[in-house]
Amino acid sequence: MFTGLIETICKVGSSVSKTGGIRLTINLGWDVKCGDSIAVNGVCLTAAGLKGTAAEFDVSAETLSKTTLGKLKAGSEVNIERALKADGRFGGHFVQGHIDAIGKVKRIEKKGDFWVYAFEVGKEISDFLVPKGSIAVDGISLTIADVEKTNFSAAIIPATFQNTIFKNYKVSDMVNVETDIICRMVKKQLDNVLGQKQGLTVEKLKEMGF
């Protein structure tokens, strides 16, 4: 479990192809143990090997097909967050490190000391885009400011801009997007009760005792 509060930006040491995936080496600068969970641009990975303070991560073909990790190369900067400790403070939102879709940066606007970023995502997650709801972009916990069809926007404060890879984004860059697990769970249960096609109606509410 993660919070979406990025701890540091690290550089990829290497990305080496191997049968069925790749092995990423990232210079973390921390003491880590094999088996530790680390979110790399929002993707939960397991430290499989250590080289000093650098950690090695095996990334499967399945993960590569659903994230942007395959585009990383030596020198690429990535957002890093360690898994939340049981006694840690929870400051963002529930982030699992399981990517739902790859999004695209559509627009970047500078507004005074702040920025507004707009992202385009696929229809498969459009039901989970809720104004004022939570979303994770490359592992960063954000609040959705506005939604238009399959686009959403978020306001970025200076601290987030400076301390994450947001400052590196350009229009058309691809990003990892994870929707809010609570939103997904609520929709799943409503679909089970109401049926995906029927939706919520007055008649259905009466049948349910409301």
Side-chain angles (χ1 to χ4, degrees):
M1 177 69 70
F2 305 92
T3 69
L5 300 184
I6 303 305
E7 294 185 83
T8 189
I9 297 174
C10 294
K11 286 189 176 181
V12 173
S14 63
S15 176
V16 180
S17 296
K18 58 184 299 185
T19 304
I22 63 173
R23 173 162 279 211
L24 280 177
T25 301
I26 299 177
N27 303 308
L28 296 177
W30 295 323
D31 290 327
V32 296
K33 304 186 299 296
C34 284
D36 283 355
S37 293
I38 306 287
V40 178
N41 279 358
V43 184
C44 181
L45 299 179
T46 300
L50 302 175
K51 291 183 177 179
T53 57
E56 297 179 318
F57 303 92
D58 290 322
V59 186
S60 69
E62 171 71 11
T63 299
L64 292 175
S65 71
K66 290 182 167 57
T67 72
T68 64
L69 295 189
K71 297 183 180 297
L72 297 177
K73 57 184 183 297
S76 295
E77 291 189 326
V78 291
N79 293 322
I80 296 293
E81 182 189 356
R82 291 170 291 187
L84 179 67
K85 292 183 178 180
D87 61 349
R89 294 188 66 184
F90 194 89
H93 75 279
F94 292 113
V95 178
Q96 295 181 293
H98 303 159
I99 303 306
D100 296 307
I102 295 176
K104 179 189 291 186
V105 179
K106 293 291 289 183
R107 188 179 72 255
I108 301 173
E109 294 181 63
K110 182 80 159 54
K111 294 192 173 184
D113 293 331
F114 297 77
W115 289 260
V116 174
Y117 282 73
F119 301 90
E120 180 182 23
V121 293
K123 292 181 179 179
E124 69 274 14
I125 68 167
S126 60
D127 286 343
F128 308 119
L129 303 178
V130 180
K132 309 307 178 188
S134 296
I135 199 160
V137 173
D138 275 344
I140 306 162
S141 176
L142 299 175
T143 299
I144 296 174
D146 193 23
V147 176
E148 184 178 352
K149 296 182 179 179
T150 59
N151 293 345
F152 70 92
S153 63
I156 309 303
I157 63 174
T160 299
F161 184 85
Q162 292 296 333
N163 296 308
T164 71
I165 62 171
F166 255 101
K167 59 181 177 289
N168 300 337
Y169 289 155
K170 301 180 297 295
V171 172
S172 296
D173 280 353
M174 310 306 288
V175 295
N176 297 315
V177 178
E178 180 185 335
T179 56
D180 187 359
I181 181 61
I182 296 176
C183 185
R184 297 202 305 272
M185 291 174 64
V186 169
K187 184 178 184 302
K188 177 66 174 178
Q189 293 306 312
L190 285 174
D191 286 344
N192 289 339
V193 173
L194 304 173
Q196 294 186 9
K197 293 184 179 179
Q198 179 177 347
L200 186 63
T201 64
V202 173
E203 290 72 20
K204 188 66 178 178
L205 286 171
K206 288 180 179 178
E207 290 177 14
M208 297 170 66
F210 291 96

